[in-house]
Amino acid sequence: QVQLVESGGGLVQAGGSLTLSCAASGNIRVNDMGWSRQAPGKQRELVATITRGAITVYADSVRGRFTISRDNAKNMVYLQMNSLKPEDTATYYCNVATGSRTFRNFDYWGQGTQVTVSS
């Protein structure tokens, strides 16, 4: 059984910063990790991914503002969000791929943490 615990969401003014954290627990080998988000009435968007070797990929909407990182020893992934915009408001989900899976087929999702950016 894998459990993902997210933290760090909240309310911030436009232009501000937040850092999200996610810890994966369980007897697993974590492969790719990532963050996705979903705003009300919109489709879920994959925001950023990172491989075990720290290769990162970002959505165009956040490139240059968000930074994903991870600690392989602790099975943790982080999302540093800078220059936040009201359109970044969404529920953010931690994603984990285990075994031979990759970011194309994450098999575990966190419960979500709310990020609200006020204008």
Side-chain angles (χ1 to χ4, degrees):
Q1 185 71 20
V2 175
Q3 186 174 17
L4 302 181
V5 179
E6 300 151 334
S7 60
L11 173 65
V12 65
Q13 288 189 330
S17 299
L18 281 175
T19 300
L20 306 182
S21 300
C22 174
S25 62
N27 187 19
I28 54 172
R29 181 187 185 279
V30 175
N31 198 4
D32 293 354
M33 305 181 85
W35 292 91
S36 58
R37 67 185 180 185
Q38 188 165 23
K42 294 187 177 182
Q43 287 190 332
R44 187 168 292 188
E45 176 187 24
L46 185 59
V47 172
T49 63
I50 184 168
T51 68
R52 286 187 65 86
I55 297 173
T56 58
V57 178
Y58 297 94
D60 290 343
S61 57
V62 306
R63 188 176 294 112
R65 300 187 298 120
F66 290 11
T67 301
I68 188 171
S69 60
R70 64 188 287 171
D71 184 331
N72 290 335
K74 297 180 180 178
N75 278 345
M76 292 197 68
V77 63
Y78 309 93
L79 187 67
Q80 173 68 43
M81 304 183 293
N82 298 327
S83 302
L84 283 161
K85 304 175 182 180
E87 51 264 43
D88 294 318
T89 295
T91 301
Y92 284 71
Y93 298 90
C94 171
N95 311 133
V96 166
T98 64
S100 60
R101 288 174 176 265
T102 70
F103 68 90
R104 294 180 178 85
N105 52 356
F106 285 120
D107 46 346
Y108 293 99
W109 298 73
Q111 79 284 358
T113 185
Q114 180 66 36
V115 171
T116 302
V117 184
S118 63
S119 56

